[in-house]
Amino acid sequence: KVRVKGKKEFDLALRKFITGIRSATGVAKQVESREPVITAQALDDLATGRTEFKTTAVKTHTKNPLQVETGDIVTYTIRVYNEGDIDGYADEIVDHLPEYLEYIDNDFNKQYGWQLDPSDNTGRTIKTKYLSEQTNKANIIKKFDGKTLDYKELKIQTRIKSGVKPTKYLTDIAEITESHNEFKIPDRDNYKKVVLPKTSDEFSEYRGHNSN
């Protein structure tokens, strides 16, 4: 992809990671830090007007599977970074739950605007506009300034359902489905739609960058 000098790039990136697990009785379980570590040097020349868009920032975080039990409540943090040189908004985020991981209709999730997608009769697709401009103009995610990546985040809680196999991996997948900026330039990755696994086993084996 050739980038014309002076042309703006809009580029949001999502990362999802576990930040809490507690048992059905309310006992918190130990969770090592899984917060992404950012290496943004690859973006430095955005500030000096490079002519070729080579790569994005490198984000690494621990994704080793965590042990959970039936009834455990798992809290995820979803963080949206802006790797481009245009301020913008992540207007809608969709979360796709695997089999045996259920959405909890509680006050915690309501504060982040999560709602079940009525078009999905499985009850495993949840949407929110919590980070949209309509919700709050302060949700704008600033462009990369040459040093640090700006981001906004939200959380979601899910519960481990009964009947799950002891060796089963539960992979949760999230994506940005709507975004915008003042220049009406589409996100440079908007053609990369998430292709959801078709079966429970395929869901378990999914290892995309926006899953955990």
Side-chain angles (χ1 to χ4, degrees), residues 122-185:
T122 68
R124 289 163 49 189
T125 302
I126 311 102
K127 297 182 177 183
T128 182
K129 293 185 179 296
Y130 180 78
L131 295 182
S132 71
E133 182 179 21
Q134 290 180 329
T135 302
N136 190 339
K137 289 186 180 297
N139 283 332
I140 193 167
I141 310 175
K142 299 293 186 179
K143 65 183 180 181
F144 178 61
D145 64 3
K147 296 180 180 179
T148 58
L149 289 177
D150 191 26
Y151 65 84
K152 292 290 188 292
E153 64 183 25
L154 67 159
K155 298 186 178 186
I156 185 171
Q157 284 187 341
T158 59
R159 181 187 291 114
I160 308 300
K161 297 172 66 175
S162 61
V164 62
K165 298 177 182 179
T167 59
K168 190 77 170 178
Y169 287 100
L170 300 179
T171 305
D172 194 349
I173 303 171
E175 61 176 323
I176 303 168
T177 51
E178 295 180 15
S179 61
H180 85 279
N181 56 78
E182 65 173 313
F183 301 103
K184 298 182 179 180
I185 296 175

Side-chain angles (χ1 to χ4, degrees), residues 15-21 29-38 59-68 74-79 81 153 169-170 207 209 211-212:
R15 283 294 181 275
K16 182 174 187 177
F17 50 101
I18 296 172
T19 47
I21 299 176
K29 298 185 177 183
Q30 183 68 34
V31 177
E32 61 183 317
S33 176
R34 303 167 81 83
E35 184 167 343
V37 177
I38 307 299
K59 308 174 203 67
T60 57
H61 65 98
T62 300
K63 299 187 72 172
N64 298 327
L66 297 173
Q67 297 290 330
V68 292
V74 182
T75 301
Y76 292 92
T77 293
I78 296 175
R79 184 174 291 179
Y81 295 91
E153 64 183 25
Y169 287 100
L170 300 179
R207 292 295 181 269
H209 69 271
S211 66
N212 210 320

